[in-house]
Amino acid sequence: MQPASSPIGVFDSGVGGLSVLQALRAELPHERFVYLADTAYAPYGERGDVFVAARTHAIAQFLHTQHHIKALVVACNTATAAAIHELRSRYPDMPTIGVEPALKPAIAHSRTGRIGVIGTRGTLGSAKFGRLLASLQDQAEFIVQPCDGLAHAIECSTASLPTEAPSNATEIRALCARYTGAMGRFGTEPGEIDTLVLGCTHYVFAQDTLRNLLGPQVQLIATGEPVARHTRRLLQASGNLSPASSPAPTMPNDERIQLLTTGPLVSLQTAAARWLQLPAQCCGTVDLPTT
């Protein structure tokens, strides 16, 4: 087991997992984090399980051996479905937290009993998601919609400056409109979908677009906050929370976060500035071949 002062590792196929990192920072303000965006191979959701599992293992090994992480948050639904059980077997002494579409929280929020679920084809077609869905079929009606291309479009939106609207905002809106339109009527009346599960961490960064399309009465459910709370519980149970001797962190926030990417550095720098208000010097590149 690594010491409590060691960082927590977080990774995703790209910048979508920054939405989970955002929640982790809020829940665990005294912790250090190392985030890796595997942008050179994004998006995972439209690749096969064998490829995704290989990338997941390579990243976990890198974070474990090079950064001596004390816990790993797999901030990617597709990677969780493809490899989380193998990771837990390989690193039995390291808390390993995955993400999955938040169907159970959605049931608690829904009043009409009709819940939409959007995600990548890899996530929604996985055996893991199939088991989760089957276990809850008697509690609500789920309308499941794969959203090919949406995660990639959101990933590409980081090409714009943080102070500007994404250059492909029209494309993102068109994709959101196409896929939600295919699901049926949204609203709070009987028979309407009143809750939408964001089954991909990228989609959090399109939630303003989704709200504009669906209206404020439709609940949007993401996974970041539940994952952050679960991470705290696991670290607390193992006695491995970073000590918090004072209400304020002991070092500036940007010094406690390291962001790495296998792809273009500017994309991660722009995303970090846009969504986490972190400076460019937090970011770096890494060459990480699949082992």
Side-chain angles (χ1 to χ4, degrees):
M1 181 179 291
Q2 300 293 346
S5 59
S6 298
I8 297 169
V10 187
F11 85 89
D12 182 29
S13 63
V15 301
L18 292 177
S19 65
V20 177
L21 178 60
Q22 195 173 48
L24 287 164
R25 289 171 69 199
E27 182 70 25
L28 299 163
H30 293 269
E31 297 291 349
R32 295 168 54 221
F33 297 95
V34 178
Y35 179 91
L36 196 151
D38 197 19
T39 310
Y41 298 93
Y44 285 174
E46 294 162 35
R47 295 181 180 268
D49 283 353
V50 173
F51 179 88
V52 173
R55 292 305 299 167
T56 298
H57 286 299
I59 291 166
Q61 182 178 4
F62 169 79
L63 292 173
H64 185 262
T65 59
Q66 299 298 315
H67 292 273
H68 310 292
I69 58 173
K70 65 180 180 181
L72 177 64
V73 178
V74 182
C76 173
N77 288 271
T78 305
T80 296
I84 193 73
H85 296 302
E86 294 175 9
L87 286 179
R88 287 170 177 160
S89 296
R90 184 172 294 190
Y91 305 101
D93 296 328
M94 181 178 69
T96 302
I97 302 96
V99 298
E100 64 181 14
L103 303 192
K104 294 177 183 177
I107 292 170
H109 281 83
S110 179
R111 295 294 174 264
T112 66
R114 299 196 80 220
I115 297 169
V117 187
I118 56 175
T120 66
R121 194 167 294 276
T123 295
L124 301 183
S126 69
K128 188 174 188 298
F129 177 74
R131 290 191 296 270
L132 174 64
L133 190 64
S135 71
L136 300 171
Q137 284 287 9
D138 61 341
Q139 299 185 43
E141 180 184 358
F142 296 97
I143 297 87
V144 177
Q145 177 63 52
C147 298
D148 296 340
L150 182 55
H152 180 67
I154 295 168
E155 188 82 22
C156 292
S157 72
T158 57
S160 305
L161 294 174
T163 54
E164 299 174 345
S167 58
N168 62 342
T170 301
E171 178 191 5
I172 292 171
R173 190 184 190 285
L175 288 168
C176 289
R178 180 200 305 172
Y179 293 127
T180 56
M183 299 172 76
R185 288 183 59 83
F186 283 81
T188 57
E189 297 298 319
E192 294 182 332
I193 302 168
D194 70 345
T195 306
L196 180 64
V197 176
L198 308 183
C200 172
T201 53
H202 280 75
Y203 298 171
V204 174
F205 297 126
Q207 61 184 348
D208 289 345
T209 299
L210 289 165
R211 286 191 193 283
N212 288 336
L213 286 167
L214 305 178
Q217 74 278 13
V218 175
Q219 296 285 322
L220 303 182
I221 308 294
T223 59
E225 291 181 5
V227 166
R229 290 193 294 268
H230 185 51
T231 302
R232 169 182 279 279
R233 286 194 295 268
L234 290 180
L235 290 174
Q236 224 159 14
S238 64
N240 218 20
L241 274 175
S242 181
S245 57
S246 62
T250 56
M251 64 180 74
N253 198 37
D254 56 288
E255 292 182 16
R256 292 179 296 110
I257 297 177
Q258 184 177 6
L259 306 177
L260 302 172
T261 179
T262 59
L265 184 59
V266 66
S267 296
L268 183 60
Q269 290 173 328
T270 306
R274 178 188 298 278
W275 293 319
L276 274 70
Q277 292 75 54
L278 289 173
Q281 56 264 34
C282 290
C283 306
T285 58
V286 61
D287 181 18
L288 188 61
T290 299
T291 54

